[in-house]
Amino acid sequence: MRNKIALISVMFCFFCMGFVDLVGIASNYVKADLNLSDSVANIFPSLVFFWFLIFSVPTGVLMNRIGREKTVLLSLAVTAVSLLLPLFGETFPIMLCAFSLLGIGNALMQTSLNPLVTCVMGGGGNLASTLTFGQFIKAIASFIAPYLAMWGAIQMIPTFGLGWRVLFAIFLVVGVIATVILATTQIQEPTSQAMGQSIGSQFAGSFALLAKPVVLLSFLGIVCHVGIDVGTNTTAPKLLMERLGMGLNEAAFATSLYFIFRTIGCFTGSFFLRALSTRVFFLISVICMALSMGCLYMGSEQWVLYAGIALVGYGNSNIFSMCFANALQAVPDKQNEVSGLMIMGLFGGTLFPLAMGVASDAMGQAGAVLCMAVGVVYLFTYLKAIKS
């Protein structure tokens, strides 16, 4: 019974982890409200994921000191502050601070929450499948964010003058509830082998793991996964506006469509990963993504663009879990350190949008799609790192 309660508590936190994906639709509304260019507007998603580069490995060290559960609680507190700030205004400095704190909180959360799952599961079950189910819960938050923003923007009922920013208020309430639930749940954690080591040696030991080919290749796989994820999240509405002449509120459905199919992918993936080998399912996923890049690059009709968005949503939904689990299982005695390195790979959410913003300013949204296609090509090469 206690394990079930702990699992529910952890899965609730996965929902909060999905708050970070509001950055895609939010950056489009900020762009429209503040009249920004693509390259400037893409600073917001880039800024969110920049902090994964800075905080992920230190969070792995922090977990060795205070434990995984307390680190998740800290991440929820930082996330709550990030959601509170936009309620006071929509100026450029406020949104920069809010997105920065959202990135810091999510870096702390993703680094600590994934290893916490191994404590709840007690070493049993399929780790990739369980992490994928967590991603399914996360995707629910991701795909409702655009709907909350659209609902607030058209103000079907009073939203206290917040407009699309009402989604921050709603997610803030959910975040507080998740914090209370986790704080009242006891989860047994293993004692870290790094407790007696200096902070410097822990940092060095973490980065030394990149010398292991499977860890390095998994890290790069996550860089590409997140780059494509954030890139699609940000670019899909722009594609519809550019090629179909849609307005922003109508085009925002593209982001929801992406996350609908990501949600479906995570849910079905948790079953497929028990029935199929990881290598086979990974190949199927990347083929879906390759087909999607063709649709998004060449498509000029609504059904083709929607098909491309759906395919990349489904194909990209389980890449993170498979890369993450592959790395954790390769170095089982260094899970905190490996987790820090893998989450540092979310820095791809900074690299890709910056390159895509420059490319789209130069040659339209087709340039942004080409940037994402580079990540898909790499994921084909990652297959050799998957043993089964």
Side-chain angles (χ1 to χ4, degrees):
M1 182 65 180
R2 179 174 294 180
N3 268 0
K4 289 182 179 178
I5 294 173
L7 184 60
I8 291 171
S9 171
V10 168
M11 290 301 158
F12 210 112
C13 293
F14 268 104
F15 185 86
C16 295
M17 188 190 290
F19 294 172
V20 73
D21 290 320
L22 67 81
V23 67
I25 191 61
S27 64
N28 281 288
Y29 276 103
V30 173
K31 177 192 173 186
D33 292 350
L34 302 183
N35 195 26
L36 305 176
S37 68
D38 269 347
S39 54
V40 174
N42 278 13
I43 288 175
F44 291 110
S46 296
L47 186 62
V48 167
F49 290 93
F50 167 77
W51 298 108
F52 285 89
L53 177 67
I54 305 299
F55 280 92
S56 296
V57 173
T59 301
V61 174
L62 180 64
M63 281 193 290
N64 289 333
R65 298 287 176 176
I66 68 173
R68 299 169 186 178
E69 186 176 4
K70 289 182 180 177
T71 307
V72 174
L73 287 170
L74 175 61
S75 74
L76 288 168
V78 175
T79 300
V81 175
S82 76
L83 296 170
L84 182 64
L85 286 178
L87 305 185
F88 296 100
E90 194 188 352
T91 65
F92 196 79
I94 285 178
M95 299 311 290
L96 281 177
C97 290
F99 284 137
S100 291
L101 288 173
L102 183 62
I104 293 169
N106 211 259
L108 292 167
M109 191 181 303
Q110 297 220 37
T111 305
S112 53
L113 187 56
N114 287 296
L116 191 60
V117 171
T118 64
C119 301
V120 175
M121 295 304 293
N126 186 308
L127 180 58
S129 176
T130 306
L131 290 177
T132 289
F133 187 75
Q135 292 297 309
F136 162 67
I137 301 297
K138 172 180 179 287
I140 295 174
S142 302
F143 99 80
I144 66 173
Y147 282 113
L148 292 175
M150 286 186 286
W151 168 67
I154 60 178
Q155 296 194 31
M156 295 175 68
I157 63 173
T159 55
F160 308 102
L162 293 174
W164 67 271
R165 288 177 292 124
V166 72
L167 73 92
F168 288 97
I170 295 170
F171 279 171
L172 175 61
V173 172
V174 177
V176 171
I177 294 171
T179 304
V180 172
I181 293 174
L182 183 63
T184 55
T185 304
Q186 289 188 339
I187 299 176
Q188 295 294 326
E189 301 182 33
T191 303
S192 171
Q193 296 181 2
M195 280 293 290
Q197 299 177 9
S198 67
I199 293 177
S201 64
Q202 289 183 54
F203 269 98
S206 295
F207 285 107
L209 292 173
L210 288 173
K212 295 180 178 292
V214 66
V215 175
L216 177 60
L217 294 173
S218 298
F219 168 80
L220 294 175
I222 288 176
V223 168
C224 293
H225 154 74
V226 178
I228 295 166
D229 181 62
V230 178
T232 305
N233 190 1
T234 305
T235 301
K238 297 175 186 176
L239 272 169
L240 298 185
M241 289 188 285
E242 177 185 271
R243 298 184 187 174
L244 304 178
M246 290 184 177
L248 177 55
N249 284 333
E250 186 181 4
F253 171 71
T255 303
S256 284
L257 179 64
Y258 171 71
F259 284 115
I260 286 170
F261 275 86
R262 254 196 67 177
T263 304
I264 294 171
C266 288
F267 181 73
T268 57
S270 65
F271 297 101
F272 286 145
L273 282 166
R274 294 182 183 272
L276 300 174
S277 72
T278 302
R279 176 187 279 270
V280 169
F281 190 59
F282 192 93
L283 177 60
I284 293 171
S285 298
V286 181
I287 288 173
C288 287
M289 295 167 70
L291 292 172
S292 77
M293 293 298 111
C295 292
L296 296 178
Y297 183 77
M298 296 182 291
S300 57
E301 297 183 18
Q302 182 170 315
W303 73 269
V304 176
L305 294 173
Y306 279 179
I309 294 167
L311 281 168
V312 72
Y314 191 87
N316 204 29
S317 58
N318 298 290
I319 299 296
F320 174 86
S321 299
M322 288 185 279
C323 291
F324 196 98
N326 199 33
L328 281 184
Q329 290 167 346
V331 195
D333 59 329
K334 296 281 187 180
Q335 289 190 345
N336 288 354
E337 292 83 350
V338 171
S339 178
L341 288 173
M342 293 304 103
I343 300 305
M344 189 172 71
L346 270 65
F347 179 61
T350 293
L351 298 177
F352 274 69
L354 286 176
M356 291 166 65
V358 173
S360 60
D361 281 344
M363 56 182 293
Q365 298 307 318
V369 175
L370 285 176
C371 292
M372 292 191 290
V374 173
V376 176
V377 171
Y378 172 78
L379 291 174
F380 272 112
T381 70
Y382 180 75
L383 275 168
K384 63 186 179 184
I386 303 175
K387 303 301 181 184
S388 61

PDB file of all heavy atoms in Angstrom, residues 56-57 64-65 70 91-93 108 137 139 156 166 182 187 207 229 239-240 259 300 305 313 320 328 374:
ATOM      1  N   SER A  56      22.206  20.615 -13.852  1.00  0.00           N
ATOM      2  CA  SER A  56      21.922  19.175 -13.810  1.00  0.00           C
ATOM      3  C   SER A  56      22.963  18.387 -13.019  1.00  0.00           C
ATOM      4  O   SER A  56      22.619  17.618 -12.116  1.00  0.00           O
ATOM      5  CB  SER A  56      21.825  18.627 -15.242  1.00  0.00           C
ATOM      6  OG  SER A  56      20.740  19.216 -15.915  1.00  0.00           O
ATOM      7  N   VAL A  57      24.233  18.536 -13.350  1.00  0.00           N
ATOM      8  CA  VAL A  57      25.280  17.797 -12.636  1.00  0.00           C
ATOM      9  C   VAL A  57      25.368  18.230 -11.169  1.00  0.00           C
ATOM     10  O   VAL A  57      25.459  17.367 -10.274  1.00  0.00           O
ATOM     11  CB  VAL A  57      26.637  17.931 -13.351  1.00  0.00           C
ATOM     12  CG1 VAL A  57      27.750  17.309 -12.509  1.00  0.00           C
ATOM     13  CG2 VAL A  57      26.581  17.237 -14.725  1.00  0.00           C
ATOM     14  N   ASN A  64      23.189  13.456  -3.585  1.00  0.00           N
ATOM     15  CA  ASN A  64      24.053  12.639  -2.733  1.00  0.00           C
ATOM     16  C   ASN A  64      24.081  13.178  -1.304  1.00  0.00           C
ATOM     17  O   ASN A  64      24.347  12.432  -0.353  1.00  0.00           O
ATOM     18  CB  ASN A  64      25.474  12.603  -3.299  1.00  0.00           C
ATOM     19  CG  ASN A  64      25.571  11.788  -4.582  1.00  0.00           C
ATOM     20  OD1 ASN A  64      24.777  10.878  -4.801  1.00  0.00           O
ATOM     21  ND2 ASN A  64      26.543  12.107  -5.418  1.00  0.00           N
ATOM     22  N   ARG A  65      23.819  14.494  -1.153  1.00  0.00           N
ATOM     23  CA  ARG A  65      23.885  15.135   0.164  1.00  0.00           C
ATOM     24  C   ARG A  65      22.552  15.100   0.901  1.00  0.00           C
ATOM     25  O   ARG A  65      22.495  14.784   2.097  1.00  0.00           O
ATOM     26  CB  ARG A  65      24.333  16.604  -0.007  1.00  0.00           C
ATOM     27  CG  ARG A  65      25.715  16.765  -0.609  1.00  0.00           C
ATOM     28  CD  ARG A  65      26.792  16.382   0.391  1.00  0.00           C
ATOM     29  NE  ARG A  65      28.133  16.436  -0.220  1.00  0.00           N
ATOM     30  CZ  ARG A  65      29.245  16.233   0.447  1.00  0.00           C
ATOM     31  NH1 ARG A  65      29.202  15.969   1.742  1.00  0.00           N
ATOM     32  NH2 ARG A  65      30.415  16.258  -0.175  1.00  0.00           N
ATOM     33  N   LYS A  70      13.976  15.123  -1.130  1.00  0.00           N
ATOM     34  CA  LYS A  70      14.120  16.526  -0.724  1.00  0.00           C
ATOM     35  C   LYS A  70      14.517  17.401  -1.919  1.00  0.00           C
ATOM     36  O   LYS A  70      14.117  18.571  -2.003  1.00  0.00           O
ATOM     37  CB  LYS A  70      15.154  16.649   0.392  1.00  0.00           C
ATOM     38  CG  LYS A  70      14.673  16.092   1.726  1.00  0.00           C
ATOM     39  CD  LYS A  70      15.723  16.279   2.817  1.00  0.00           C
ATOM     40  CE  LYS A  70      15.225  15.725   4.140  1.00  0.00           C
ATOM     41  NZ  LYS A  70      16.251  15.837   5.213  1.00  0.00           N
ATOM     42  N   THR A  91       5.967  41.933 -18.802  1.00  0.00           N
ATOM     43  CA  THR A  91       7.091  42.676 -19.358  1.00  0.00           C
ATOM     44  C   THR A  91       8.215  41.706 -19.726  1.00  0.00           C
ATOM     45  O   THR A  91       8.266  40.571 -19.233  1.00  0.00           O
ATOM     46  CB  THR A  91       7.621  43.707 -18.347  1.00  0.00           C
ATOM     47  OG1 THR A  91       8.155  43.024 -17.216  1.00  0.00           O
ATOM     48  CG2 THR A  91       6.515  44.655 -17.905  1.00  0.00           C
ATOM     49  N   PHE A  92       9.105  42.169 -20.584  1.00  0.00           N
ATOM     50  CA  PHE A  92      10.215  41.324 -21.026  1.00  0.00           C
ATOM     51  C   PHE A  92      11.059  40.841 -19.850  1.00  0.00           C
ATOM     52  O   PHE A  92      11.362  39.641 -19.751  1.00  0.00           O
ATOM     53  CB  PHE A  92      11.067  42.087 -22.040  1.00  0.00           C
ATOM     54  CG  PHE A  92      11.997  41.217 -22.830  1.00  0.00           C
ATOM     55  CD1 PHE A  92      11.535  40.473 -23.910  1.00  0.00           C
ATOM     56  CD2 PHE A  92      13.351  41.139 -22.508  1.00  0.00           C
ATOM     57  CE1 PHE A  92      12.398  39.670 -24.653  1.00  0.00           C
ATOM     58  CE2 PHE A  92      14.213  40.345 -23.236  1.00  0.00           C
ATOM     59  CZ  PHE A  92      13.742  39.607 -24.316  1.00  0.00           C
ATOM     60  N   PRO A  93      11.446  41.728 -18.901  1.00  0.00           N
ATOM     61  CA  PRO A  93      12.256  41.261 -17.756  1.00  0.00           C
ATOM     62  C   PRO A  93      11.525  40.234 -16.880  1.00  0.00           C
ATOM     63  O   PRO A  93      12.136  39.260 -16.425  1.00  0.00           O
ATOM     64  CB  PRO A  93      12.539  42.545 -16.963  1.00  0.00           C
ATOM     65  CG  PRO A  93      12.417  43.646 -17.968  1.00  0.00           C
ATOM     66  CD  PRO A  93      11.323  43.202 -18.894  1.00  0.00           C
ATOM     67  N   LEU A 108      16.253  20.750 -11.702  1.00  0.00           N
ATOM     68  CA  LEU A 108      16.306  20.066 -10.411  1.00  0.00           C
ATOM     69  C   LEU A 108      15.347  18.877 -10.394  1.00  0.00           C
ATOM     70  O   LEU A 108      15.682  17.772  -9.927  1.00  0.00           O
ATOM     71  CB  LEU A 108      15.935  21.038  -9.291  1.00  0.00           C
ATOM     72  CG  LEU A 108      16.909  22.186  -8.983  1.00  0.00           C
ATOM     73  CD1 LEU A 108      16.243  23.208  -8.077  1.00  0.00           C
ATOM     74  CD2 LEU A 108      18.174  21.663  -8.340  1.00  0.00           C
ATOM     75  N   ILE A 137       2.227  10.764 -18.018  1.00  0.00           N
ATOM     76  CA  ILE A 137       1.606  11.696 -17.073  1.00  0.00           C
ATOM     77  C   ILE A 137       2.090  13.119 -17.345  1.00  0.00           C
ATOM     78  O   ILE A 137       1.302  14.074 -17.348  1.00  0.00           O
ATOM     79  CB  ILE A 137       1.941  11.291 -15.620  1.00  0.00           C
ATOM     80  CG1 ILE A 137       1.434   9.870 -15.324  1.00  0.00           C
ATOM     81  CG2 ILE A 137       1.365  12.294 -14.630  1.00  0.00           C
ATOM     82  CD1 ILE A 137      -0.064   9.712 -15.415  1.00  0.00           C
ATOM     83  N   ALA A 139       3.088  14.314 -20.154  1.00  0.00           N
ATOM     84  CA  ALA A 139       2.539  14.785 -21.429  1.00  0.00           C
ATOM     85  C   ALA A 139       1.114  15.311 -21.286  1.00  0.00           C
ATOM     86  O   ALA A 139       0.681  16.161 -22.075  1.00  0.00           O
ATOM     87  CB  ALA A 139       2.585  13.668 -22.468  1.00  0.00           C
ATOM     88  N   MET A 156     -13.392  33.193 -22.265  1.00  0.00           N
ATOM     89  CA  MET A 156     -14.758  32.682 -22.285  1.00  0.00           C
ATOM     90  C   MET A 156     -15.464  32.998 -20.958  1.00  0.00           C
ATOM     91  O   MET A 156     -16.664  33.200 -20.907  1.00  0.00           O
ATOM     92  CB  MET A 156     -14.749  31.180 -22.540  1.00  0.00           C
ATOM     93  CG  MET A 156     -14.219  30.818 -23.920  1.00  0.00           C
ATOM     94  SD  MET A 156     -14.075  29.034 -24.181  1.00  0.00           S
ATOM     95  CE  MET A 156     -15.807  28.557 -24.182  1.00  0.00           C
ATOM     96  N   VAL A 166      -3.432  32.934 -17.579  1.00  0.00           N
ATOM     97  CA  VAL A 166      -4.175  32.199 -16.561  1.00  0.00           C
ATOM     98  C   VAL A 166      -3.618  30.783 -16.394  1.00  0.00           C
ATOM     99  O   VAL A 166      -3.762  30.173 -15.321  1.00  0.00           O
ATOM    100  CB  VAL A 166      -5.682  32.153 -16.928  1.00  0.00           C
ATOM    101  CG1 VAL A 166      -5.942  31.218 -18.112  1.00  0.00           C
ATOM    102  CG2 VAL A 166      -6.520  31.731 -15.726  1.00  0.00           C
ATOM    103  N   LEU A 182       3.760  15.122  -1.852  1.00  0.00           N
ATOM    104  CA  LEU A 182       5.087  14.497  -1.752  1.00  0.00           C
ATOM    105  C   LEU A 182       5.689  14.697  -0.367  1.00  0.00           C
ATOM    106  O   LEU A 182       6.326  13.796   0.176  1.00  0.00           O
ATOM    107  CB  LEU A 182       6.024  15.062  -2.828  1.00  0.00           C
ATOM    108  CG  LEU A 182       7.426  14.436  -2.864  1.00  0.00           C
ATOM    109  CD1 LEU A 182       7.343  12.947  -3.206  1.00  0.00           C
ATOM    110  CD2 LEU A 182       8.329  15.162  -3.872  1.00  0.00           C
ATOM    111  N   ILE A 187       9.510   8.006   1.375  1.00  0.00           N
ATOM    112  CA  ILE A 187      10.068   7.117   0.361  1.00  0.00           C
ATOM    113  C   ILE A 187      11.458   6.685   0.815  1.00  0.00           C
ATOM    114  O   ILE A 187      12.317   7.529   1.103  1.00  0.00           O
ATOM    115  CB  ILE A 187      10.151   7.808  -1.017  1.00  0.00           C
ATOM    116  CG1 ILE A 187       8.740   8.212  -1.483  1.00  0.00           C
ATOM    117  CG2 ILE A 187      10.807   6.888  -2.044  1.00  0.00           C
ATOM    118  CD1 ILE A 187       8.722   8.990  -2.784  1.00  0.00           C
ATOM    119  N   PHE A 207      31.507  13.739 -14.605  1.00  0.00           N
ATOM    120  CA  PHE A 207      31.907  14.025 -15.984  1.00  0.00           C
ATOM    121  C   PHE A 207      32.771  12.911 -16.562  1.00  0.00           C
ATOM    122  O   PHE A 207      32.784  12.693 -17.776  1.00  0.00           O
ATOM    123  CB  PHE A 207      32.631  15.367 -16.067  1.00  0.00           C
ATOM    124  CG  PHE A 207      31.701  16.550 -15.960  1.00  0.00           C
ATOM    125  CD1 PHE A 207      31.664  17.320 -14.807  1.00  0.00           C
ATOM    126  CD2 PHE A 207      30.850  16.866 -17.007  1.00  0.00           C
ATOM    127  CE1 PHE A 207      30.802  18.409 -14.700  1.00  0.00           C
ATOM    128  CE2 PHE A 207      29.976  17.954 -16.910  1.00  0.00           C
ATOM    129  CZ  PHE A 207      29.957  18.720 -15.754  1.00  0.00           C
ATOM    130  N   ASP A 229      11.866  18.164 -29.583  1.00  0.00           N
ATOM    131  CA  ASP A 229      10.661  18.373 -28.783  1.00  0.00           C
ATOM    132  C   ASP A 229      10.342  19.859 -28.646  1.00  0.00           C
ATOM    133  O   ASP A 229       9.238  20.311 -28.978  1.00  0.00           O
ATOM    134  CB  ASP A 229      10.860  17.742 -27.408  1.00  0.00           C
ATOM    135  CG  ASP A 229       9.645  17.899 -26.517  1.00  0.00           C
ATOM    136  OD1 ASP A 229       8.584  17.378 -26.873  1.00  0.00           O
ATOM    137  OD2 ASP A 229       9.768  18.546 -25.456  1.00  0.00           O
ATOM    138  N   LEU A 239       4.402  27.247 -38.398  1.00  0.00           N
ATOM    139  CA  LEU A 239       4.220  26.607 -39.701  1.00  0.00           C
ATOM    140  C   LEU A 239       2.796  26.801 -40.211  1.00  0.00           C
ATOM    141  O   LEU A 239       2.577  27.110 -41.394  1.00  0.00           O
ATOM    142  CB  LEU A 239       4.524  25.106 -39.586  1.00  0.00           C
ATOM    143  CG  LEU A 239       5.965  24.648 -39.797  1.00  0.00           C
ATOM    144  CD1 LEU A 239       6.114  23.194 -39.383  1.00  0.00           C
ATOM    145  CD2 LEU A 239       6.397  24.834 -41.245  1.00  0.00           C
ATOM    146  N   LEU A 240       1.822  26.626 -39.334  1.00  0.00           N
ATOM    147  CA  LEU A 240       0.425  26.787 -39.739  1.00  0.00           C
ATOM    148  C   LEU A 240       0.117  28.238 -40.083  1.00  0.00           C
ATOM    149  O   LEU A 240      -0.640  28.513 -41.026  1.00  0.00           O
ATOM    150  CB  LEU A 240      -0.503  26.288 -38.630  1.00  0.00           C
ATOM    151  CG  LEU A 240      -0.393  24.807 -38.252  1.00  0.00           C
ATOM    152  CD1 LEU A 240      -1.467  24.438 -37.235  1.00  0.00           C
ATOM    153  CD2 LEU A 240      -0.506  23.912 -39.473  1.00  0.00           C
ATOM    154  N   PHE A 259       1.285  17.321 -28.560  1.00  0.00           N
ATOM    155  CA  PHE A 259       1.300  16.700 -27.242  1.00  0.00           C
ATOM    156  C   PHE A 259       0.225  15.627 -27.084  1.00  0.00           C
ATOM    157  O   PHE A 259       0.378  14.704 -26.274  1.00  0.00           O
ATOM    158  CB  PHE A 259       1.185  17.768 -26.152  1.00  0.00           C
ATOM    159  CG  PHE A 259       2.469  18.513 -25.935  1.00  0.00           C
ATOM    160  CD1 PHE A 259       2.566  19.860 -26.217  1.00  0.00           C
ATOM    161  CD2 PHE A 259       3.597  17.853 -25.478  1.00  0.00           C
ATOM    162  CE1 PHE A 259       3.755  20.541 -26.041  1.00  0.00           C
ATOM    163  CE2 PHE A 259       4.797  18.527 -25.292  1.00  0.00           C
ATOM    164  CZ  PHE A 259       4.872  19.875 -25.575  1.00  0.00           C
ATOM    165  N   SER A 300       2.181  21.683 -47.643  1.00  0.00           N
ATOM    166  CA  SER A 300       1.519  22.977 -47.801  1.00  0.00           C
ATOM    167  C   SER A 300       0.007  22.848 -47.586  1.00  0.00           C
ATOM    168  O   SER A 300      -0.711  23.834 -47.664  1.00  0.00           O
ATOM    169  CB  SER A 300       1.799  23.557 -49.193  1.00  0.00           C
ATOM    170  OG  SER A 300       1.370  22.655 -50.209  1.00  0.00           O
ATOM    171  N   LEU A 305       0.508  18.768 -42.909  1.00  0.00           N
ATOM    172  CA  LEU A 305       1.192  19.378 -41.765  1.00  0.00           C
ATOM    173  C   LEU A 305       0.724  18.738 -40.454  1.00  0.00           C
ATOM    174  O   LEU A 305       1.533  18.467 -39.562  1.00  0.00           O
ATOM    175  CB  LEU A 305       0.939  20.883 -41.748  1.00  0.00           C
ATOM    176  CG  LEU A 305       1.553  21.665 -42.921  1.00  0.00           C
ATOM    177  CD1 LEU A 305       1.097  23.118 -42.888  1.00  0.00           C
ATOM    178  CD2 LEU A 305       3.066  21.586 -42.887  1.00  0.00           C
ATOM    179  N   GLY A 313       5.232  13.813 -32.869  1.00  0.00           N
ATOM    180  CA  GLY A 313       4.767  13.681 -31.492  1.00  0.00           C
ATOM    181  C   GLY A 313       4.824  12.244 -31.015  1.00  0.00           C
ATOM    182  O   GLY A 313       5.317  11.955 -29.923  1.00  0.00           O
ATOM    183  N   PHE A 320      13.344   9.771 -24.963  1.00  0.00           N
ATOM    184  CA  PHE A 320      13.989  10.142 -23.705  1.00  0.00           C
ATOM    185  C   PHE A 320      14.076   8.950 -22.762  1.00  0.00           C
ATOM    186  O   PHE A 320      15.141   8.655 -22.202  1.00  0.00           O
ATOM    187  CB  PHE A 320      13.219  11.284 -23.035  1.00  0.00           C
ATOM    188  CG  PHE A 320      13.734  11.640 -21.667  1.00  0.00           C
ATOM    189  CD1 PHE A 320      14.784  12.531 -21.525  1.00  0.00           C
ATOM    190  CD2 PHE A 320      13.183  11.074 -20.519  1.00  0.00           C
ATOM    191  CE1 PHE A 320      15.271  12.853 -20.256  1.00  0.00           C
ATOM    192  CE2 PHE A 320      13.663  11.395 -19.261  1.00  0.00           C
ATOM    193  CZ  PHE A 320      14.710  12.288 -19.138  1.00  0.00           C
ATOM    194  N   LEU A 328      21.229   4.517 -17.453  1.00  0.00           N
ATOM    195  CA  LEU A 328      21.149   4.116 -16.041  1.00  0.00           C
ATOM    196  C   LEU A 328      21.527   2.652 -15.857  1.00  0.00           C
ATOM    197  O   LEU A 328      22.240   2.290 -14.917  1.00  0.00           O
ATOM    198  CB  LEU A 328      19.737   4.340 -15.508  1.00  0.00           C
ATOM    199  CG  LEU A 328      19.305   5.757 -15.114  1.00  0.00           C
ATOM    200  CD1 LEU A 328      17.898   5.721 -14.532  1.00  0.00           C
ATOM    201  CD2 LEU A 328      20.261   6.394 -14.128  1.00  0.00           C
ATOM    202  N   VAL A 374      18.426  17.306 -38.517  1.00  0.00           N
ATOM    203  CA  VAL A 374      19.786  16.907 -38.131  1.00  0.00           C
ATOM    204  C   VAL A 374      19.730  16.006 -36.892  1.00  0.00           C
ATOM    205  O   VAL A 374      20.446  15.002 -36.798  1.00  0.00           O
ATOM    206  CB  VAL A 374      20.663  18.155 -37.860  1.00  0.00           C
ATOM    207  CG1 VAL A 374      22.019  17.749 -37.286  1.00  0.00           C
ATOM    208  CG2 VAL A 374      20.858  18.961 -39.146  1.00  0.00           C
TER     209      VAL A 374
END
